[in-house]
Structures are given as C-alpha cells and as structure tokens.
Amino acid sequence: MTDGLPLTDLAFNILVALTDEELHGYALIKRLREQEGRELLRTGTVYAALARLGDQGWVVDSEGPADDEDPRRRYYRITAAGLAAARAEAARLADVLLEARRKRLLAEPARG
Amino acid sequence: MAERTLRALLTVLLMAWPPRLRRTHGRAALATALRLISDARARGRAAGLAESAAEAVALLRSGLRLRREDLSAAARAWTTGLAGDARFALRSLRRSPGFGAASVGALALGIGANAAVFSLVEAVLMRPPPYERPDELVVVWSSLPGSEERIPVAAPDAAVLALESRALAEVAFTVRGVDGAVEVGDGDGARHVRLAAVTDDFFRVLGATPRLGRTFDAADGPSGTAEDGAAAPSAVVLSDGAWHSVFTADPGVVGRRIRVNGLPATVVGVMPPDFTLALAPDAGVVTDVDVWVPVRVPLTSFHRDDGRLLDQDSDNTGVVIARLASGATLGTARAEAERIAAGLRTEVPAYAEAGLGFDVRPLRPDATAHARPVLLALLAGVALVLLVTCLNVATLLMARAAARGPELAIRGSLGADRRRLARQLLVESTLLAGLGLAGAVLLAVAAVRGLALAAPTELTPANPLTLDFRATAGAAVLALGSVFLFGLAPAFAPILSGSSRLPRAVATRGASTRRLGRRGLVGAQVALSAVLLLCCGLFLRTVTALDDVHPGFRPDGALSFRVSLRAPDRYRSPAYRAELMDRIRAELSDLPGVRAVGLVGVLPLEGDRWTQPYGLPGQSASEWSANRADFRVVTSGAFEALGTRVLEGRGFEAREDLHEDERVVVVDEKLAARLAPGGSALGATIGIPLDGSAVQARVVGVVEHVRYDRLDADGREAVYVPYRQEASRDVAFVVRTMGDPATLAPLVRSAVRRVDAGVPVFDVITLRDYVRAAVAPRRFAFDLLVLFAVLALVCVAVGLYGVVAFDVARQTRDIGLRMAVGATRARVVRGVLASGLRVGAVGLAAGVVLGGLVARALEGMWYGVGSADPVVWGGVLVVVTAVTLIACWLPALRASRLDPTAALRSE
C-alpha cells in the first residue's frame, strides 16, 4: 500500500477526478486542463499516468455508462485501493497545509 | 495535415511505448489525441498544427519515459534477486565444503601453474631482447662440414665479412669474453671482471642505448687512435652489474679513470640492467660481460694463425653480430656468406683443408635454442595439468548437478522459471570462478617466485621474472569456460540435471548418459595423467642415468677455481707464467689435507673448447684435418687431482712443468685405440700444431677418456700438452682433499694471494656442485614434471572418488537387493572396485597410446632409456592402478557396510 506513495501531482489529481464518477480519456483531460498550470496538458502524459495507476491497481478500465454515444470509448474507474491511496495522499497534504498555515504561509480559511 | 497521415504518424510514435501498455491504452490515447487536435483545428489552422506537433512530441516522450521506468524497475528487481542468489550460492557452497575445496583448488592449480610456467617460457623464449628491431639481427659462426657446432670466427675473417658483405648492412665483432682485472684506484687492488673487446659499432649494430653516458663511437676504435694510440686511455663501457658491484652505483662514474688489465682507461658509459648479448651457451663464448672495451687495432691486423690449423683458443676469435640490410633475407645472407667463405678458402690453405665456412643464424632463436626443448616440454606438461583440472572441475560440477536434481525439481514446482534458474546457476558459477581465479593469482605469484629461484641459469631469463598476465588470462579463459559451461548446463539441458519432472523412461536414459559422461571425463583425466607420469618416469631414468655416467674424473672430494693472468705488462713471458703457476701449485699442495693439486686449462663440461687437428704417424699435414681432438693444457698432478685414471705410462712430471727437454704429450684411451689398436700407444709419436707449425710429440701416457663436452655424449678424443708449451693466461686449478673440499675455499684464495696479490681468484666451486649444475636443466624439468604428475593424480583420485561414491549412493537399493539374495560383502566390494578399475583401465589404454606419441616426440631429451622402456611403462601401470584402487576404496567400504534391509527400504 505504501508502494507508489507519495503520488505525483498528476496522479493524485486524476484519482480525485475519478473519485465520484467514471470518465473517459477526453473528458478527463478536459477536466484536468481546467486546473491552473495544466492548460496544455497532453494526451501522452495523461495516459502514461493512467497506465501507471492501472499497474498499481488503483484505476481500472470500465464499460462506461449505458447511454454513451460512442460504444468504443474507454472509461476509467477508480478502485477501492485507489480511493484509499487518494485518501491517504489527501490526508498527507492536509498535514502539510496545516503546517503551512501555522507558519502563516497561508491564511486561515474563513470560519462559518 | 490530413487526418489519415496524422493518425499514421501518431501510431508510429506510439511504438515508443512498452508493448504491454501500448496494447491496453494505445487506441484510447490515439483517439483522445485526435479529438484534441480536431478541437484545436476548429480554432484555427495554426493552432491545429501546434497542437498536433505538441501531442506528437508528448506521446513520444511519455512512451520513452515509461520504457525507462520499466527498465529501472526490472533492474532493481534483478539486483535484489541477484543479491538473494549470491547469498544462496554462498550458503550452498559452504554446505558442500568438499566440492568447494576440490573445485576451487583444481581451478587455482590449473590456472596458476600455467600462468607461472608460461611466464617463464615467455620471458626466456618470447620476450624481445632490448635491441632495436631484433628480428633483423643475425649471428655468424664459423662452421665445419658435417658438424652443427658453433665455432667462433677469427677476427680477420670478420673483417672480410664486414668489407665484402652486401646482405649484412652492419657487421660488428665481439672478441670472446675473457677474464680481466680492473683496478678502481681505491686501494682495494685488482678486482676480477669479465671483459669483452668489441668493435666500436657493436652497440650501434644492436641498437642498444646506455643508461649513463655513451657507448662507443668511431673515435674509440682503430680509426680514432693517434700514433701513440695504444698508450692513451681506452674508453670502457660498464654493465649494470659491474657498475653496482665494482663502482657501488656511483652516479658520477662517467669520466672516472681506472686501470683495466694494468692499462689506463676511462669510463664513458653504463648499460641498462636488462642489456646483455645472449648467445647459445655451448659456443663457449662468455656473454656475462662486466666491462666492454673497444678493439683499437683493425681487425685485419689480428693474427689469423695461418698454419696453426684452426685454433680457437686465442683472443683473436669471437662472434660476429650483424644486421641484415633492408631487403636482404636470411637466405641471401647465408648464400653470400658461403661465397665469401669460398673466397677465404682459396686464400687460406688451412681453411681449404678443413673446409671452413660461415654459418649465419638469426640471433634470438639461436641464443635460445638450447632452452627451447626443455621449456616447451614443461609448457606441454603444465598444459596437460590444465586440461586435467578442467576435466576435473567439469566432473565435479556434473556430479553436483545430478545430486541437486531433486532440489531443482522442487524449485521448478514452486514456479521458478528457467531464466531465474539460469541466473542462480550463473551466480554460483561466477562465485566458483571468482574464488578459483583469486586462488590462481596467489598461487601464480608464489610459483613465479619459486621458479625464478629454482630454475637453472640456462633456463632463466636475463631480466627478473614477473607474472605475465596474458598467461593468466589464457589459462583462466579455458578453466573458467568449463566452469560456466558445466555450471550452467542444468538450466539448459534438464536431462543433465536429473530433474524428476521428466518421465521415468527419459529420466533413466538420462541417468545412464550422465553416468557415462562422468566416467568418460574421469577416464580422460586418467589418460592425461598417464602421459604426465610417463614423461616423469622417462625423465627420472634419464637423470639417474646421467648421474651414473662416469665422466672420466671423480667429482667428489675436489675443489676447483680459476685464475687469470691478464695484465699484459706483468705477465708477458710464458716462462714467467709457467713459473707463477708452479708456485701457486706448490702453495696449494702445502695446504692441510690436500692430496693432489693440478692445473687444468679447461674444466670438463665447461663448454669451452680448444679443438685442433692432429696427425697420426705417417700422415701428411693435409690429412690432419680428418682427426680432431680436444687439446688440454695440464701440469703435473692434474690427473690425480681430477681423479682421471692413468692407464698406461705416466702424467707429466714436475720438471716438465717448467722445462721442455722434449715434446711430450699424454693422450686418452680413445685416441690411443686409434693410434695403436690392440697394442700400446706408449712411445708412439703424433703430430700436433704448435705456434703455427706442425711438430711431432711422443706419447708418454694414456689416461681414461673424459667427457669434456656434455655428460650425455661421449665426446672427442683428447690430447694433453704440458702447460709450459702454451702458457695460457686463463686456467683452472683442481685441488683434491681428504676432507670436505668446500672448507678449502678461503684457503686457496689466500694461497694464491701469497704468490701474487694481483691475480684474481674466481669461480671457486666444488667439482661435485659444478657437475650438478651441468645436469640442472634436466633435473629442473624432472622436478616440475613430478609436481605436475602428482597434481594430476590427485585430481584423478578426487574425481574418481566422487564418481564412484555417487554411483554407490545411487545404487543403494540395488546393492541392498544383491546382498539380500546372498551376495557377500566381499563381492560387493569387488564389484565397486571393478567398476572403478574399468574406468581406470579405459583411461590408461588411451593414455598409453597418447603417451607413446608424446614420448616419441620428445626423443632428444631421454638419455639411457628408450621411449618404450618397459620398466617405466610398468611403473605407470602400477601407479595408475594404485591410485584408482585407493580412490575407490572408501566408497567400496561404505557399500560393503550397508545394511541390506535399510538399503532396500531407501529410495
């Protein structure tokens, strides 16, 4: 389980994106390109990350929703192990953020 | 860009991806990429182009990165796997220490011994001498028809060669090394040195550069001498040894004034330590030179001693060293030399009668010809040892592989694939090879040191002996090759590993093939060991026969030493020299325990020669050249001192040492038999050359024949003349004592010093040691061969033991069965021994055939024994059988002690 941690930034973001839904490659890239600094993310990069995640057993292929217009499309789904890995990474990042806030690198979130 | 072209391009770029990932994600990635590109195209043509390019590059780069990651992951896995394999290999080797010790030992011995012996052979035979382009150098000897002897060339003849030869570009001449005295001027008196006079181009012809100062140039030779040339100081060049021993390595030695043989001289240069002019030792030309002086008179002015038919005991003979002209070959040089010799024969009647010619030989091969047979024989012997050890290691590995069959099968059933197994075996083989190699290097270094100490002078190189890495590498390749070949075999040939995964029929067939293979390997080892043993035996017989040879004198109980009267102004008159020698003889006789003292011009077995023709009664001078005899000067007491029996008549009397009333000679029995067959030679007269003319001398005594030349050849007839007649400057004394002659050594020095302090005394040695040194090369070869044979036999014993023990273990059930139905223990033992003996017998048969060929090929080295000698062959048979029986003894005993019921129950 500790193999493969800490996750690369891209891998973590892919897992986060897949947390609540299955996505196919094009949609995933579009989603990721919305993030800051990732506007020009390329196919090769994303699919390489997907391949590694697949090797780890954190992402698997999926049939996709039944109402998909293109039956040939390949969907990607996160696994339970993948969720656990994403959670662990999120927790780790939260710890780092806590420390950053303590050192006044980042403002406290607004209460309420 | 068209959609189709783009798709094709991206597909090509996808090839960078690892196949597995390409299969799973390739199509999706392609589709997504094309979609993104078409999206960008919608925004504009330029955007579309930019996106296409970027996508293409990204695909390629990510693919390459994936491949790199895959590789490093695999390498990491491999290394951890490797570490595990190494630990396992070490453990399994520790668990079978017998196997480990035997195989590492065999490897170390085989590789190490070969490296050492080859280093010696390389240093003596193959290393190029410190001259420029040594292949162009030749040495010229005088030759007589029908003889292979190397005869030194007379100085005037060398001058003729230099003048007339076209094929020889540069011709240098070195007078035979003689004994001389050097006074350094530090009050220590005269020190003995070996001198050689050389022409001024000597060092240039060889292309040798000095370490300090310079070598000779034309100004040092005849053309450079002024009117009073003889009195002006001569230049001298020192050898490195002389520089250290006489001048204590003084760096400012160049320019020092010294006296050489009483004459003033100046040191102009020092040669490097590895410089020497190596020549064949049997030519009687001393090459162990300390000091070189230039010849200061033209060679043509040297006395040729016309009429003194072919005298070689003068200072006017030496060796011609020449360099072939560019474009000339040895053949053309030889032909031309023959033409020049023919010309000389018309000029010098003595040459025509003798048929003297020139013999041109390549320098290096001629100088090492004497060492070649022995060294090559040793090389062959040690190569056999290497073969035996390789076979031994192979046998051990084969047996081990068979024994591990079950283990490998279990591993196979647990999922180990062939590659992992191969890796495991590779690691094990590497471990074995590494240990063996390490042991080999240690052994080789020690062995080289041992060889350098033990080898006789004829077989040692000029420079210190070091380990030659090519030799180690060559032997290592062969030996380690067998390790890897037989070590890895089980992975690639399951039939060799006895894996029980194979069907029973195949497994049993495999078993008998393996058994045959193991026995074949051991049999081959037996054959090779038999060859080694055979050569051992033949050498042993040769050496003992040589020891038994009666050389014509008695080596035990006598001491010999040499003196040299060289200072030309002090020892000018022959009468004075004779008187001096007589006084020395008298002083020596007075020493305690001395029974006899005599002067001998040349010691036996020295290789030095003074051979002249003589005339039988009634022969004319021209018929003399058919008779050649060794001439020796002796004083009274010489025969008693040497222990040479006087058969008839007498030796020389004391009076004849100083006065010559009548020309008398003593001859040996061989000559006497020619002179007066069946009768007595006493009183007969023979003709001998003396000072350029033929004189008649009366035979006053006949002594037994002495082997002057070599122990293993009968040699020539001998004529002894009184010392007074020749008054040679370089002679030897022999002193026979009642007690241990070695104790006399310091006393003889002081005795000579009492007579004349300026006379150097050197080469003090007991006659027994002196004779021993003559047999040294053969004895050395024998000692080494014994070692090799023992090593080979140990390997055979270990190998045979392993094989037989293994078979006994395998056949436990069968043996139990046999014992259960009535076979006695004795029969079981006999059975095991018989199976072992069968292997030995087959190996011996092969060894006999091979050995016969080898012994025949080395015919020239045996003395007193034929290559098919039954005693030696019988000995080989006995030894091999004994070793076989001993090796099978323990397993046989174990087999006989088996409890039949337990055996039957075992697998």
Side-chain angles (χ1 to χ4, degrees):
Chain A
M1 227 343 250
T2 44
D3 211 3
L5 288 174
L7 291 168
T8 63
D9 197 40
L10 180 60
F12 181 52
N13 277 283
I14 292 176
L15 287 178
V16 167
L18 293 175
T19 298
D20 52 357
E21 56 178 328
E22 296 176 358
L23 290 171
H24 58 84
Y26 182 68
L28 181 60
I29 292 184
K30 285 295 208 191
R31 193 73 59 84
L32 292 170
R33 278 188 175 185
E34 285 160 13
Q35 293 174 4
E36 222 179 293
R38 290 222 161 88
E39 291 83 6
L40 298 173
L41 190 62
R42 301 290 168 211
T43 316
T45 324
V46 171
Y47 275 91
L50 277 172
R52 284 290 167 247
L53 288 171
D55 280 348
Q56 298 280 31
W58 293 340
V59 166
V60 288
D61 293 347
S62 151
E63 284 297 314
D67 62 340
D68 182 24
E69 56 266 27
D70 189 345
R72 290 176 310 161
R73 242 183 236 167
R74 211 61 166 310
Y75 278 77
Y76 295 97
R77 175 170 65 79
I78 195 170
T79 64
L83 273 172
R87 261 192 214 107
E89 181 69 7
R92 189 184 73 81
L93 285 171
D95 283 340
V96 173
L97 272 179
L98 210 61
E99 188 65 15
R101 286 206 172 92
R102 200 176 63 74
K103 296 196 176 177
R104 309 243 189 264
L105 282 171
L106 195 63
E108 302 279 334
R111 299 291 168 98
Chain B
M1 212 190 300
E3 163 95 11
R4 268 240 282 270
T5 331
L6 193 59
R7 180 185 285 270
L9 174 69
L10 292 178
T11 315
V12 164
L13 290 173
L14 259 179
M15 293 306 225
W17 281 54
R20 183 175 55 93
L21 297 175
R22 192 167 63 233
R23 269 198 302 272
T24 45
H25 294 89
R27 214 156 18 152
L30 200 62
T32 313
L34 288 171
R35 237 179 115 172
L36 286 172
I37 289 169
S38 68
D39 283 357
R41 273 219 195 108
R43 292 197 296 277
R45 193 183 156 88
L49 225 56
E51 183 84 7
S52 310
E55 280 292 323
V57 168
L59 256 185
L60 185 65
R61 286 177 67 179
S62 56
L64 290 174
R65 191 162 20 103
L66 283 172
R67 274 210 196 250
R68 223 178 19 242
E69 283 169 12
D70 272 354
L71 273 174
S72 48
R76 266 198 309 275
W78 207 78
T79 341
T80 20
L82 206 66
D85 285 342
R87 275 196 301 270
F88 183 79
L90 216 68
R91 260 207 315 273
S92 80
L93 204 63
R94 260 207 298 265
R95 259 184 287 133
S96 27
F99 164 80
S103 37
V104 171
L107 284 172
L109 282 172
I111 301 174
N114 264 274
V117 171
F118 188 86
S119 301
L120 179 65
V121 173
E122 193 271 342
V124 175
L125 293 184
M126 298 197 267
R127 197 181 296 172
Y131 318 136
E132 220 180 284
R133 299 191 303 277
D135 296 328
E136 291 174 2
L137 290 173
V138 298
V139 58
V140 183
W141 304 102
S142 290
S143 71
L144 289 170
S147 161
E148 285 288 307
E149 254 184 79
R150 298 177 179 84
I151 304 175
V153 175
D157 300 341
V160 169
L161 259 181
L163 195 63
E164 298 185 12
S165 173
R166 232 51 26 112
L168 300 173
E170 300 171 278
V171 177
F173 184 71
T174 163
V175 179
R176 286 160 55 171
V178 292
D179 301 303
V182 157
E183 286 159 276
V184 184
D186 57 1
D188 259 0
R191 280 205 201 56
H192 165 256
V193 292
R194 284 302 244 198
L195 275 182
V198 298
T199 50
D200 54 74
D201 54 359
F202 175 73
F203 292 104
R204 206 186 55 239
V205 170
L206 286 177
T209 44
R211 178 194 180 139
L212 291 178
R214 63 173 181 88
T215 56
F216 300 134
D217 50 41
D220 299 312
S223 41
T225 13
E227 253 114 60
D228 62 339
S234 159
V236 298
V237 171
L238 303 175
S239 77
D240 185 74
W243 181 48
H244 278 90
S245 62
V246 179
F247 296 88
T248 56
D250 170 19
V253 72
V254 175
R256 243 169 104 163
R257 300 289 179 106
I258 60 174
R259 294 183 85 81
V260 175
N261 283 352
L263 297 172
T266 316
V267 178
V268 299
V270 177
M271 294 307 288
D274 62 348
F275 177 78
T276 180
L277 176 65
L279 294 172
D282 69 339
V285 177
V286 163
T287 50
D288 188 13
V289 177
D290 298 314
V291 177
W292 288 275
V293 293
V295 173
R296 299 173 88 184
V297 291
L299 290 181
T300 42
S301 69
F302 272 66
H303 201 27
R304 186 186 264 128
D305 292 320
D306 294 353
R308 186 172 207 183
L309 310 165
L310 241 44
D311 166 29
Q312 281 90 37
D313 187 39
S314 325
D315 297 342
N316 64 348
T317 58
V319 179
V320 173
I321 311 287
R323 194 173 279 280
L324 286 173
S326 63
T329 64
L330 188 66
T332 48
R334 290 180 72 96
E336 189 188 57
E338 179 47 40
R339 278 199 304 276
I340 298 176
L344 274 175
R345 285 198 291 270
T346 55
E347 278 174 41
V348 183
Y351 285 10
E353 278 159 25
L356 191 75
F358 286 126
D359 188 10
V360 182
R361 302 189 190 185
L363 182 61
R364 186 82 199 303
D366 190 51
T368 54
H370 66 286
R372 202 166 291 139
V374 174
L375 285 179
L376 291 181
L378 281 180
L379 200 60
V382 83
L384 279 181
V385 172
L386 181 65
L387 265 177
V388 170
T389 53
C390 285
L391 290 171
N392 202 32
V393 169
T395 319
L396 291 170
L397 282 170
M398 262 190 97
R400 188 156 198 254
R404 291 172 75 188
E407 171 208 326
L408 296 172
I410 292 172
R411 291 185 67 187
S413 68
L414 284 177
D417 67 323
R418 202 135 78 171
R419 263 188 311 192
R420 276 217 60 195
L421 188 63
R423 191 183 69 197
Q424 170 72 43
L425 292 174
L426 184 71
V427 170
E428 286 180 12
S429 304
T430 312
L431 182 65
L432 209 58
L435 287 173
L437 197 61
V441 170
L442 287 174
L443 188 77
V445 169
V448 160
R449 219 165 282 167
L451 278 178
L453 287 173
T457 31
E458 294 96 328
L459 299 180
T460 26
N463 322 316
L465 188 60
T466 50
L467 185 61
D468 182 58
F469 280 104
R470 281 174 297 173
T472 328
V477 163
L478 191 62
L480 301 183
S482 339
V483 169
F484 284 102
L485 183 69
F486 285 90
L488 285 172
F492 301 103
I495 205 159
L496 284 174
S497 71
S499 161
S500 60
R501 277 192 293 174
L502 296 167
R504 182 145 183 85
V506 180
T508 34
R509 198 159 6 112
S512 51
T513 316
R514 286 194 306 276
R515 193 152 164 273
L516 196 64
R518 285 194 302 270
R519 281 164 174 252
L521 285 177
V522 176
Q525 291 174 57
V526 171
L528 294 174
S529 309
V531 174
L532 275 175
L533 265 181
L534 179 68
C535 292
C536 256
L538 289 172
F539 262 105
L540 178 63
R541 289 287 300 263
T542 300
V543 168
T544 37
L546 283 175
D547 275 346
D548 286 344
V549 160
H550 181 54
F553 59 98
R554 278 185 296 128
D556 290 309
L559 183 75
S560 73
F561 63 91
R562 299 229 272 251
V563 298
S564 161
L565 306 178
R566 280 283 152 189
D569 54 342
R570 270 193 274 160
Y571 306 114
R572 187 158 291 170
S573 107
Y576 179 65
R577 293 201 291 273
E579 199 207 333
L580 200 64
M581 297 302 184
D582 194 56
R583 273 171 33 212
I584 294 177
R585 220 177 50 74
E587 278 289 335
L588 292 170
S589 314
D590 285 341
L591 291 175
V594 168
R595 286 174 35 191
V597 179
L599 176 154
V600 186
V602 165
L603 285 173
L605 304 176
E606 204 177 315
D608 208 349
R609 251 177 228 114
W610 179 29
T611 316
Q612 296 191 115
Y614 64 92
L616 294 169
Q619 281 186 329
S620 65
S622 55
E623 292 171 299
W624 283 19
S625 45
N627 322 315
R628 293 180 64 77
D630 287 334
F631 275 65
R632 297 283 179 263
V633 284
V634 290
T635 60
S636 59
F639 297 123
E640 287 81 7
L642 271 176
T644 305
R645 281 179 307 140
V646 176
L647 301 172
E648 282 184 79
R650 59 177 180 81
F652 297 127
E653 287 160 357
R655 187 185 148 67
E656 283 162 331
D657 289 342
L658 296 169
H659 306 279
E660 248 191 315
D661 304 321
E662 188 200 349
R663 300 234 190 282
V664 288
V665 291
V666 172
V667 299
D668 75 347
E669 51 187 320
K670 271 187 91 167
L671 204 158
R674 278 191 76 185
L675 202 51
S680 164
L682 287 184
T685 43
I686 60 169
I688 58 173
L690 180 60
D691 290 336
S693 41
V695 299
Q696 299 288 317
R698 186 167 68 92
V699 175
V700 296
V702 179
V703 296
E704 65 175 325
H705 177 65
V706 174
R707 295 192 169 193
Y708 278 105
D709 206 3
R710 301 154 48 151
L711 272 182
D712 58 356
D714 201 30
R716 271 184 287 263
E717 308 149 338
V719 174
Y720 299 90
V721 296
Y723 175 72
R724 172 70 181 82
Q725 203 171 36
E726 297 292 331
S728 323
R729 294 175 183 273
D730 310 304
V731 296
F733 277 92
V734 179
V735 182
R736 185 161 291 275
T737 72
M738 287 200 277
D740 176 17
T743 55
L744 227 49
L747 298 174
V748 302
R749 282 185 203 275
S750 42
V752 173
R753 226 196 328 263
R754 278 198 294 276
V755 174
D756 184 335
V759 172
V761 173
F762 51 96
D763 287 352
V764 183
I765 187 175
T766 64
L767 266 191
R768 172 50 77 190
D769 286 338
Y770 178 77
V771 173
R772 220 172 255 148
V775 196
R778 278 209 186 77
R779 192 168 272 283
F780 176 68
F782 169 66
D783 290 342
L784 281 186
L785 274 180
V786 167
L787 194 64
F788 295 161
V790 167
L791 287 178
L793 284 175
V794 167
C795 283
V796 165
V798 168
L800 196 56
Y801 167 82
V803 163
V804 172
F806 185 76
D807 286 342
V808 164
R810 277 291 164 97
Q811 291 164 353
T812 312
R813 275 193 70 198
D814 291 339
I815 298 175
L817 197 67
R818 266 183 267 149
M819 291 215 282
V821 296
T824 60
R825 296 194 188 276
R827 274 201 66 181
V828 168
V829 167
R830 272 208 302 276
V832 174
L833 289 179
S835 87
L837 277 174
R838 266 199 296 276
V839 175
V842 171
L844 194 58
V848 162
V849 173
L850 200 61
L853 294 170
V854 169
R856 195 92 54 80
L858 295 175
E859 197 78 59
M861 281 206 264
W862 317 128
Y863 175 76
V865 61
S867 57
D869 186 64
V871 173
V872 172
W873 279 107
V876 171
L877 197 78
V878 167
V879 172
V880 170
T881 315
V883 168
T884 318
L885 285 174
I886 291 172
C888 301
W889 175 247
L890 204 57
L893 210 62
R894 227 177 267 155
S896 72
R897 296 242 178 90
L898 282 177
D899 175 21
T901 36
L904 279 171
R905 265 188 269 123
S906 80
E907 180 344 301

